[in-house]
Amino acid sequence: MLSRMNPNADHAATRVREASASGCQFASDNYAGICPEALHAMADANRGHVRSYGEDEWTRRACDMLRERFETDCEVFFVFNGTAANALAVATLCKPFHGVICHESAHLETDECGAPEFFSSGSKVLLARGDHGKVSLADVERLVRQRADIHYPKPHALSITQSTELGTVYSVEEIREVGLLAKALHLRLHMDGARLANAVATLNVPLKDITWKAGVDVVCLGGAKNGGALGEAVVFFDRHLAEEFDFRCKQAGQLASKMRFLSAQWLGLLENDVWLRNAQRANACARLLAEQLQTVPGLRILFPCQANAVFVDMPPALADALRRRGWHFYTFIGNAARFMCAWNTTEADIAALVADFHACASTHP
Ligand SMILES: *Cc1c(COP(=O)(O)O)cnc(C)c1O
């Protein structure tokens, strides 16, 4: 079957399929396994009987290490996933009659099954437009100013995603502007940082510059997509906001009894800046893919490739042909296919994918 099209490309692709850690898929960075450092840290936490519910040494150290990385005395909580992190953070920022503004493509809106509304007991998600997955400041302002009566949910929080769902990154300046606007409009600022590491890898600035120093009140920091097994950290820069958050987590079923296995992964990721290297690797592979796909006829790269995602507009027949060759990726609105790179994506994976792109493009022009 395969060798009918382009024998050389097929051999390269087959070799990679057999050898690759990524298993030839670009569907999501959460398809990747656990990076060795995080796994090792979990194994290290696996000794003897240890106090539960976060009263352990690993959790204490992981919190301290996050405080060091953020260079501030923040309050840290570990929960099982990003949906819970986002939803519980929003619930903390908003009363039930408040609204939370986010981009129309935000995970909060499109991929959380209404969890932010559910956990906040009714806070309505209000959708802002904006290019490349970033909220337009003018549209945020419009949403806040258009109504002030009691018949409309009062906007009280703004949520931005860094890096965005479309693989773009807010610059330091852009985040500062968002922070200033949020302040002027009396909005609390939440950051969905499921891929914050990828943004830091691109911007090459300290974490503080694109979080608390720019006015962010709470960050949900991603672990799973960065090389952890599971779990995200909720980081409050305004400690006052974190009051009773532990009760909120427990009630939501988000308090791990064997917390040390959630928190230990962060030690593995944070020590020696593994988190940053993982993100740099994923970003570099995405950049390489975006560059090399320019040589394939009939494709269009949709957004600036600034993190670990490449969005490609291509004919459905080409997408089908790639899938038949075993490649996994998501297709979103229209013909846009998303290719995600992870901490363990290799240059050989990219080469094999690009070779199959060429092979399929020549038979499905
Ligand atoms: C993956 C992801 C999350 C977290 O999703 P869970 O599946 O709930 O862990 C949050 N925000 C964004 C932008 C994501 O891509």
Side-chain angles (χ1 to χ4, degrees):
M1 265 288 280
L2 290 177
S3 56
R4 240 188 2 210
M5 298 169 185
N6 178 341
N8 293 333
D10 290 335
H11 283 142
T14 308
R15 266 200 312 279
V16 168
R17 266 182 212 121
E18 282 159 5
S20 167
S22 74
C24 282
Q25 73 71 38
F26 286 82
S28 181
D29 33 4
N30 63 15
Y31 274 42
I34 310 168
C35 73
E37 295 85 354
L39 189 59
H40 184 268
M42 283 176 98
D44 186 61
N46 189 30
R47 37 182 150 115
H49 284 225
V50 170
R51 294 182 70 176
S52 49
Y53 299 112
E55 303 282 313
D56 63 274
E57 197 51 27
W58 288 272
T59 303
R60 191 189 60 71
R61 276 167 50 213
C63 291
D64 281 345
M65 209 172 269
L66 280 167
R67 288 183 193 109
E68 274 172 34
R69 293 300 178 276
F70 279 102
E71 300 180 66
T72 187
D73 187 24
C74 45
E75 195 70 89
V76 179
F77 301 85
F78 299 106
V79 296
F80 289 108
N81 61 35
T83 299
N86 284 339
L88 297 176
V90 166
T92 299
L93 300 180
C94 291
K95 291 182 175 150
F97 49 85
H98 284 153
V100 52
I101 297 171
C102 66
H103 192 272
E104 56 192 357
S105 67
H107 196 271
L108 210 69
E109 159 69 8
T110 63
D111 287 298
E112 301 191 349
C113 196
E117 293 92 333
F118 177 76
F119 281 107
S120 61
S121 305
S123 300
K124 187 170 163 66
V125 174
L126 306 169
L127 303 181
R129 289 183 289 266
D131 293 339
H132 300 159
K134 305 181 197 176
V135 293
S136 134
L137 300 188
D139 211 40
V140 170
E141 186 152 6
R142 176 187 66 82
L143 285 165
V144 173
R145 298 215 191 275
Q146 67 182 356
R147 295 275 293 271
D149 57 86
I150 59 165
H151 305 281
Y152 182 73
K154 185 179 181 189
H156 197 258
L158 171 60
S159 174
I160 58 172
T161 311
Q162 175 78 322
S163 52
T164 73
E165 286 78 0
L166 302 185
T168 58
V169 167
Y170 288 88
S171 69
V172 177
E173 192 50 43
E174 283 172 330
I175 300 240
R176 275 195 203 128
E177 283 172 8
V178 168
L180 288 174
L181 181 72
K183 194 164 187 167
L185 297 175
H186 306 291
L187 300 172
R188 288 292 195 168
L189 187 53
H190 165 259
M191 178 177 279
D192 177 347
R195 300 191 181 91
L196 184 57
N198 302 89
V200 174
T202 295
L203 297 172
N204 197 22
V205 292
L207 271 167
K208 64 181 174 187
D209 287 8
I210 51 171
T211 56
W212 61 271
K213 279 185 85 177
V216 175
D217 294 303
V218 51
V219 167
C220 296
L221 180 64
K225 287 169 181 158
N226 185 239
L230 77 165
E232 319 273 297
V234 185
V235 181
F236 288 96
F237 302 113
D238 179 347
R239 283 182 149 254
H240 183 65
L241 284 174
E243 269 172 33
E244 301 183 337
F245 192 75
D246 45 354
F247 288 90
R248 206 182 275 290
C249 288
K250 176 66 191 186
Q251 186 184 49
Q254 289 291 323
L255 177 64
S257 66
K258 291 190 178 178
M259 180 73 85
R260 67 185 186 279
F261 297 109
L262 280 189
S263 54
Q265 304 165 76
W266 287 95
L267 297 176
L269 289 173
L270 294 171
E271 274 165 9
N272 303 316
D273 282 337
V274 170
W275 66 285
L276 198 53
R277 275 189 285 123
N278 283 353
Q280 284 163 344
R281 158 94 82 96
N283 289 7
C285 283
R287 262 197 320 276
L288 188 65
L289 178 61
E291 265 165 39
Q292 299 204 346
L293 286 184
Q294 314 237 356
T295 63
V296 181
L299 303 186
R300 198 162 57 92
I301 306 291
L302 286 175
F303 311 109
C305 175
Q306 297 171 333
N308 59 329
V310 182
F311 285 78
V312 186
D313 183 54
M314 62 174 154
L318 177 53
D320 291 345
L322 284 167
R323 288 208 168 96
R324 277 199 301 279
R325 288 179 170 234
W327 297 104
H328 298 268
F329 49 90
Y330 283 120
T331 321
F332 290 88
I333 326 106
N335 296 335
R338 185 189 75 170
F339 294 83
M340 289 305 304
C341 297
W343 64 271
N344 60 351
T345 305
T346 63
E347 292 189 4
D349 294 331
I350 302 296
L353 175 61
V354 172
D356 270 2
F357 255 102
H358 277 291
C360 294
S362 61
T363 49
H364 298 273

